[in-house]
Amino acid sequence: QVQLVESGGGLVQAGGSLRLSCAASGSIFSIDTMGWYRQAPGKQRELVATITRGGTTNYAESVKGRFTISRDNAKNTMYLQMNSLKPEDTAKYYCNVDRATTTARVVVGAWGQGTQVTVSS
């Protein structure tokens, strides 16, 4: 089993910044692609950004130039630096691991519990 714990959410004014973290645990040997997704009330969960183990990144058009995804493979941790935040960025942000190899088995499609980001205008 892989556990994902997000942190760093909160309330911030428009134009402000937040840094989210996602720590993965569970006797992990390696993690393939990690990603951040978000879900606003009444809306579907959407991709924010992903990063491969090698560091290749992919961003939603709405966050390009404002958000930066990164990861520390040695710590099994992923980050999302969010700058120039807008009220429309308000959502619950979820950490995702598409595939992780643990000492016991391969885990596919793990999700964290989410961290709330609220941007006031």
Side-chain angles (χ1 to χ4, degrees):
Q1 193 76 345
V2 172
Q3 293 81 39
L4 303 176
V5 178
E6 302 98 333
S7 61
L11 173 64
V12 65
Q13 288 189 333
S17 298
L18 284 173
R19 188 188 194 215
L20 305 184
S21 298
C22 170
S25 61
S27 300
I28 296 169
F29 179 70
S30 67
I31 299 175
D32 293 348
T33 299
M34 302 182 76
W36 288 100
Y37 292 73
R38 66 187 182 187
Q39 187 168 19
K43 294 188 177 181
Q44 289 189 328
R45 190 172 297 189
E46 63 176 5
L47 168 73
V48 176
T50 61
I51 183 167
T52 67
R53 182 171 179 80
T56 300
T57 59
N58 178 55
Y59 295 92
E61 285 295 325
S62 60
V63 306
K64 278 183 180 178
R66 300 188 298 122
F67 291 9
T68 302
I69 190 171
S70 61
R71 64 189 280 178
D72 184 331
N73 290 331
K75 296 181 179 179
N76 291 324
T77 301
M78 175 178 63
Y79 307 96
L80 185 68
Q81 178 67 43
M82 305 186 295
N83 298 328
S84 302
L85 282 161
K86 304 176 182 179
E88 51 263 44
D89 294 318
T90 295
K92 197 164 189 179
Y93 284 68
Y94 296 88
C95 172
N96 171 263
V97 163
D98 74 335
R99 186 176 184 273
T101 302
T102 71
T103 55
R105 60 191 180 100
V106 173
V107 176
V108 177
W111 291 92
Q113 293 299 306
T115 184
Q116 180 67 38
V117 171
T118 303
V119 184
S120 63
S121 57

Short mmCIF file of all heavy atoms in Angstrom, two decimals, residues 72-113:
data_model
loop_
_atom_site.label_atom_id
_atom_site.label_comp_id
_atom_site.label_asym_id
_atom_site.label_seq_id
_atom_site.Cartn_x
_atom_site.Cartn_y
_atom_site.Cartn_z
N ASP A 72 11.34 15.24 -5.40
CA ASP A 72 12.59 14.74 -4.84
C ASP A 72 12.46 13.23 -4.76
O ASP A 72 11.77 12.72 -3.87
CB ASP A 72 12.82 15.37 -3.46
CG ASP A 72 14.15 14.98 -2.85
OD1 ASP A 72 14.67 13.89 -3.15
OD2 ASP A 72 14.67 15.76 -2.05
N ASN A 73 13.07 12.53 -5.70
CA ASN A 73 12.91 11.08 -5.76
C ASN A 73 13.47 10.39 -4.52
O ASN A 73 12.95 9.37 -4.08
CB ASN A 73 13.58 10.53 -7.02
CG ASN A 73 12.85 10.93 -8.28
OD1 ASN A 73 11.63 11.12 -8.27
ND2 ASN A 73 13.59 11.06 -9.37
N ALA A 74 14.53 10.93 -3.97
CA ALA A 74 15.14 10.32 -2.79
C ALA A 74 14.20 10.38 -1.58
O ALA A 74 14.23 9.49 -0.71
CB ALA A 74 16.45 11.01 -2.46
N LYS A 75 13.35 11.40 -1.54
CA LYS A 75 12.42 11.58 -0.42
C LYS A 75 11.00 11.14 -0.78
O LYS A 75 10.10 11.23 0.06
CB LYS A 75 12.41 13.04 0.02
CG LYS A 75 13.73 13.54 0.57
CD LYS A 75 13.62 15.00 1.00
CE LYS A 75 14.93 15.49 1.59
NZ LYS A 75 14.85 16.93 1.99
N ASN A 76 10.80 10.67 -2.01
CA ASN A 76 9.44 10.31 -2.46
C ASN A 76 8.45 11.43 -2.20
O ASN A 76 7.34 11.21 -1.71
CB ASN A 76 8.97 9.01 -1.79
CG ASN A 76 9.75 7.81 -2.27
OD1 ASN A 76 10.11 7.71 -3.44
ND2 ASN A 76 10.01 6.88 -1.36
N THR A 77 8.86 12.63 -2.52
CA THR A 77 8.05 13.82 -2.25
C THR A 77 7.91 14.65 -3.51
O THR A 77 8.85 14.75 -4.30
CB THR A 77 8.69 14.66 -1.13
OG1 THR A 77 8.80 13.86 0.05
CG2 THR A 77 7.84 15.88 -0.81
N MET A 78 6.74 15.23 -3.67
CA MET A 78 6.45 16.07 -4.82
C MET A 78 5.98 17.42 -4.30
O MET A 78 5.39 17.50 -3.22
CB MET A 78 5.35 15.43 -5.67
CG MET A 78 4.87 16.26 -6.83
SD MET A 78 3.61 15.41 -7.82
CE MET A 78 2.28 15.23 -6.63
N TYR A 79 6.22 18.45 -5.09
CA TYR A 79 5.86 19.81 -4.69
C TYR A 79 5.10 20.51 -5.81
O TYR A 79 5.23 20.15 -6.99
CB TYR A 79 7.12 20.63 -4.37
CG TYR A 79 8.03 19.97 -3.37
CD1 TYR A 79 9.12 19.20 -3.80
CD2 TYR A 79 7.80 20.08 -2.00
CE1 TYR A 79 9.95 18.58 -2.89
CE2 TYR A 79 8.63 19.45 -1.08
CZ TYR A 79 9.69 18.70 -1.53
OH TYR A 79 10.52 18.08 -0.62
N LEU A 80 4.34 21.52 -5.42
CA LEU A 80 3.69 22.39 -6.40
C LEU A 80 3.82 23.82 -5.89
O LEU A 80 3.18 24.18 -4.91
CB LEU A 80 2.22 22.03 -6.60
CG LEU A 80 1.51 22.82 -7.70
CD1 LEU A 80 2.07 22.43 -9.08
CD2 LEU A 80 0.00 22.58 -7.65
N GLN A 81 4.66 24.59 -6.56
CA GLN A 81 4.80 26.00 -6.24
C GLN A 81 3.77 26.76 -7.05
O GLN A 81 3.79 26.69 -8.28
CB GLN A 81 6.21 26.50 -6.57
CG GLN A 81 6.42 27.98 -6.30
CD GLN A 81 6.35 28.33 -4.83
OE1 GLN A 81 6.89 27.63 -3.99
NE2 GLN A 81 5.65 29.42 -4.53
N MET A 82 2.88 27.43 -6.36
CA MET A 82 1.80 28.15 -7.01
C MET A 82 1.97 29.65 -6.79
O MET A 82 1.91 30.11 -5.64
CB MET A 82 0.45 27.69 -6.47
CG MET A 82 0.24 26.19 -6.57
SD MET A 82 -1.42 25.67 -6.08
CE MET A 82 -1.40 26.10 -4.35
N ASN A 83 2.21 30.38 -7.85
CA ASN A 83 2.38 31.83 -7.80
C ASN A 83 1.24 32.51 -8.55
O ASN A 83 0.54 31.90 -9.34
CB ASN A 83 3.72 32.22 -8.40
CG ASN A 83 4.90 31.65 -7.67
OD1 ASN A 83 4.86 31.45 -6.44
ND2 ASN A 83 5.97 31.36 -8.40
N SER A 84 1.10 33.80 -8.30
CA SER A 84 0.07 34.60 -8.98
C SER A 84 -1.29 33.91 -8.92
O SER A 84 -1.98 33.78 -9.93
CB SER A 84 0.47 34.84 -10.45
OG SER A 84 1.72 35.49 -10.52
N LEU A 85 -1.65 33.48 -7.75
CA LEU A 85 -2.89 32.73 -7.59
C LEU A 85 -4.11 33.58 -7.90
O LEU A 85 -4.12 34.80 -7.65
CB LEU A 85 -2.98 32.16 -6.17
CG LEU A 85 -2.13 30.92 -5.94
CD1 LEU A 85 -1.88 30.68 -4.46
CD2 LEU A 85 -2.79 29.70 -6.57
N LYS A 86 -5.11 32.92 -8.48
CA LYS A 86 -6.35 33.58 -8.86
C LYS A 86 -7.52 32.93 -8.12
O LYS A 86 -7.43 31.76 -7.73
CB LYS A 86 -6.57 33.42 -10.37
CG LYS A 86 -5.44 33.92 -11.23
CD LYS A 86 -5.71 33.62 -12.70
CE LYS A 86 -4.56 34.09 -13.58
NZ LYS A 86 -4.82 33.77 -15.01
N PRO A 87 -8.61 33.65 -7.97
CA PRO A 87 -9.78 33.03 -7.29
C PRO A 87 -10.22 31.73 -7.96
O PRO A 87 -10.69 30.81 -7.29
CB PRO A 87 -10.85 34.12 -7.41
CG PRO A 87 -10.07 35.39 -7.41
CD PRO A 87 -8.83 35.09 -8.19
N GLU A 88 -10.05 31.64 -9.28
CA GLU A 88 -10.46 30.42 -9.98
C GLU A 88 -9.54 29.23 -9.70
O GLU A 88 -9.83 28.12 -10.13
CB GLU A 88 -10.56 30.66 -11.49
CG GLU A 88 -9.35 31.32 -12.11
CD GLU A 88 -9.51 32.83 -12.26
OE1 GLU A 88 -10.01 33.48 -11.30
OE2 GLU A 88 -9.12 33.36 -13.33
N ASP A 89 -8.44 29.45 -8.99
CA ASP A 89 -7.59 28.34 -8.55
C ASP A 89 -8.13 27.69 -7.29
O ASP A 89 -7.60 26.66 -6.85
CB ASP A 89 -6.17 28.84 -8.29
CG ASP A 89 -5.46 29.32 -9.54
OD1 ASP A 89 -5.60 28.65 -10.59
OD2 ASP A 89 -4.77 30.36 -9.47
N THR A 90 -9.16 28.27 -6.70
CA THR A 90 -9.74 27.71 -5.49
C THR A 90 -10.28 26.31 -5.76
O THR A 90 -11.08 26.11 -6.66
CB THR A 90 -10.87 28.61 -4.97
OG1 THR A 90 -10.32 29.87 -4.57
CG2 THR A 90 -11.59 27.97 -3.79
N ALA A 91 -9.80 25.36 -4.98
CA ALA A 91 -10.19 23.95 -5.16
C ALA A 91 -9.51 23.11 -4.09
O ALA A 91 -8.62 23.60 -3.37
CB ALA A 91 -9.77 23.46 -6.55
N LYS A 92 -9.89 21.86 -4.05
CA LYS A 92 -9.15 20.90 -3.24
C LYS A 92 -8.12 20.26 -4.17
O LYS A 92 -8.48 19.80 -5.26
CB LYS A 92 -10.07 19.85 -2.64
CG LYS A 92 -9.43 19.08 -1.49
CD LYS A 92 -10.48 18.35 -0.69
CE LYS A 92 -9.89 17.76 0.59
NZ LYS A 92 -10.90 17.05 1.41
N TYR A 93 -6.88 20.26 -3.75
CA TYR A 93 -5.79 19.76 -4.56
C TYR A 93 -5.38 18.36 -4.08
O TYR A 93 -5.14 18.16 -2.88
CB TYR A 93 -4.61 20.72 -4.50
CG TYR A 93 -4.82 21.95 -5.33
CD1 TYR A 93 -5.78 22.90 -4.97
CD2 TYR A 93 -4.10 22.18 -6.50
CE1 TYR A 93 -6.00 24.03 -5.75
CE2 TYR A 93 -4.31 23.30 -7.28
CZ TYR A 93 -5.27 24.22 -6.89
OH TYR A 93 -5.49 25.34 -7.66
N TYR A 94 -5.30 17.45 -5.03
CA TYR A 94 -5.00 16.06 -4.73
C TYR A 94 -3.69 15.62 -5.37
O TYR A 94 -3.39 15.98 -6.51
CB TYR A 94 -6.10 15.15 -5.27
CG TYR A 94 -7.45 15.36 -4.62
CD1 TYR A 94 -8.35 16.29 -5.12
CD2 TYR A 94 -7.83 14.61 -3.51
CE1 TYR A 94 -9.59 16.49 -4.53
CE2 TYR A 94 -9.07 14.79 -2.91
CZ TYR A 94 -9.93 15.73 -3.42
OH TYR A 94 -11.16 15.91 -2.83
N CYS A 95 -2.97 14.82 -4.64
CA CYS A 95 -1.74 14.21 -5.12
C CYS A 95 -2.06 12.84 -5.70
O CYS A 95 -2.91 12.10 -5.16
CB CYS A 95 -0.79 14.07 -3.92
SG CYS A 95 0.70 13.13 -4.23
N ASN A 96 -1.43 12.51 -6.80
CA ASN A 96 -1.65 11.23 -7.45
C ASN A 96 -0.32 10.58 -7.83
O ASN A 96 0.61 11.25 -8.26
CB ASN A 96 -2.50 11.42 -8.71
CG ASN A 96 -2.59 10.17 -9.56
OD1 ASN A 96 -1.84 10.02 -10.52
ND2 ASN A 96 -3.47 9.27 -9.20
N VAL A 97 -0.28 9.27 -7.66
CA VAL A 97 0.84 8.46 -8.15
C VAL A 97 0.26 7.46 -9.13
O VAL A 97 -0.66 6.72 -8.79
CB VAL A 97 1.52 7.72 -6.99
CG1 VAL A 97 2.39 6.58 -7.52
CG2 VAL A 97 2.36 8.67 -6.17
N ASP A 98 0.75 7.47 -10.37
CA ASP A 98 0.15 6.57 -11.35
C ASP A 98 0.60 5.12 -11.15
O ASP A 98 -0.17 4.19 -11.35
CB ASP A 98 0.43 7.04 -12.77
CG ASP A 98 1.87 6.79 -13.23
OD1 ASP A 98 2.76 6.71 -12.36
OD2 ASP A 98 2.09 6.69 -14.45
N ARG A 99 1.86 4.95 -10.73
CA ARG A 99 2.38 3.60 -10.54
C ARG A 99 3.57 3.66 -9.59
O ARG A 99 4.49 4.45 -9.81
CB ARG A 99 2.80 3.00 -11.88
CG ARG A 99 3.22 1.54 -11.84
CD ARG A 99 3.52 1.06 -13.26
NE ARG A 99 3.85 -0.35 -13.32
CZ ARG A 99 5.07 -0.83 -13.13
NH1 ARG A 99 6.08 -0.01 -12.88
NH2 ARG A 99 5.29 -2.13 -13.21
N ALA A 100 3.52 2.84 -8.56
CA ALA A 100 4.63 2.78 -7.61
C ALA A 100 5.00 1.33 -7.36
O ALA A 100 4.12 0.46 -7.28
CB ALA A 100 4.24 3.44 -6.29
N THR A 101 6.28 1.11 -7.27
CA THR A 101 6.77 -0.23 -6.94
C THR A 101 7.20 -0.25 -5.49
O THR A 101 8.06 0.54 -5.09
CB THR A 101 7.96 -0.61 -7.84
OG1 THR A 101 7.54 -0.54 -9.20
CG2 THR A 101 8.43 -2.02 -7.53
N THR A 102 6.57 -1.10 -4.70
CA THR A 102 6.94 -1.24 -3.30
C THR A 102 7.69 -2.55 -3.12
O THR A 102 7.83 -3.34 -4.06
CB THR A 102 5.71 -1.22 -2.39
OG1 THR A 102 4.98 -2.44 -2.57
CG2 THR A 102 4.80 -0.04 -2.73
N THR A 103 8.14 -2.80 -1.92
CA THR A 103 8.86 -4.05 -1.64
C THR A 103 7.92 -5.25 -1.75
O THR A 103 8.38 -6.37 -1.92
CB THR A 103 9.49 -4.01 -0.24
OG1 THR A 103 8.46 -3.72 0.72
CG2 THR A 103 10.56 -2.93 -0.17
N ALA A 104 6.61 -5.00 -1.65
CA ALA A 104 5.65 -6.11 -1.69
C ALA A 104 5.01 -6.27 -3.08
O ALA A 104 4.79 -7.39 -3.53
CB ALA A 104 4.56 -5.89 -0.65
N ARG A 105 4.66 -5.14 -3.73
CA ARG A 105 3.94 -5.26 -4.99
C ARG A 105 3.95 -3.94 -5.75
O ARG A 105 4.47 -2.95 -5.26
CB ARG A 105 2.49 -5.66 -4.70
CG ARG A 105 1.73 -4.66 -3.85
CD ARG A 105 0.40 -5.24 -3.36
NE ARG A 105 -0.33 -4.30 -2.54
CZ ARG A 105 -1.34 -3.57 -2.99
NH1 ARG A 105 -1.72 -3.69 -4.25
NH2 ARG A 105 -1.98 -2.75 -2.18
N VAL A 106 3.32 -3.93 -6.92
CA VAL A 106 3.14 -2.71 -7.70
C VAL A 106 1.77 -2.13 -7.37
O VAL A 106 0.77 -2.85 -7.38
CB VAL A 106 3.24 -2.99 -9.21
CG1 VAL A 106 2.88 -1.76 -10.01
CG2 VAL A 106 4.64 -3.48 -9.55
N VAL A 107 1.76 -0.86 -7.08
CA VAL A 107 0.52 -0.15 -6.75
C VAL A 107 0.20 0.80 -7.89
O VAL A 107 1.06 1.56 -8.35
CB VAL A 107 0.65 0.63 -5.43
CG1 VAL A 107 -0.60 1.43 -5.15
CG2 VAL A 107 0.94 -0.34 -4.29
N VAL A 108 -1.05 0.77 -8.33
CA VAL A 108 -1.47 1.62 -9.44
C VAL A 108 -2.56 2.57 -8.98
O VAL A 108 -3.51 2.16 -8.32
CB VAL A 108 -1.98 0.76 -10.62
CG1 VAL A 108 -2.49 1.64 -11.74
CG2 VAL A 108 -0.87 -0.15 -11.13
N GLY A 109 -2.42 3.85 -9.35
CA GLY A 109 -3.51 4.79 -9.12
C GLY A 109 -3.77 5.15 -7.68
O GLY A 109 -4.91 5.04 -7.22
N ALA A 110 -2.75 5.62 -6.97
CA ALA A 110 -2.94 6.02 -5.56
C ALA A 110 -3.28 7.51 -5.48
O ALA A 110 -2.76 8.32 -6.26
CB ALA A 110 -1.68 5.72 -4.77
N TRP A 111 -4.14 7.85 -4.54
CA TRP A 111 -4.57 9.23 -4.33
C TRP A 111 -4.40 9.62 -2.87
O TRP A 111 -4.59 8.81 -1.97
CB TRP A 111 -6.03 9.42 -4.71
CG TRP A 111 -6.33 9.31 -6.15
CD1 TRP A 111 -6.69 8.19 -6.84
CD2 TRP A 111 -6.29 10.37 -7.12
NE1 TRP A 111 -6.87 8.48 -8.16
CE2 TRP A 111 -6.65 9.81 -8.37
CE3 TRP A 111 -6.00 11.75 -7.06
CZ2 TRP A 111 -6.72 10.56 -9.55
CZ3 TRP A 111 -6.07 12.49 -8.23
CH2 TRP A 111 -6.42 11.90 -9.45
N GLY A 112 -4.10 10.90 -2.65
CA GLY A 112 -4.10 11.44 -1.30
C GLY A 112 -5.49 11.92 -0.94
O GLY A 112 -6.43 11.84 -1.74
N GLN A 113 -5.61 12.45 0.28
CA GLN A 113 -6.91 12.92 0.77
C GLN A 113 -7.19 14.35 0.33
O GLN A 113 -8.34 14.81 0.44
CB GLN A 113 -6.95 12.83 2.30
CG GLN A 113 -6.93 11.40 2.81
CD GLN A 113 -8.12 10.62 2.32
OE1 GLN A 113 -9.28 11.02 2.52
NE2 GLN A 113 -7.88 9.48 1.68
#
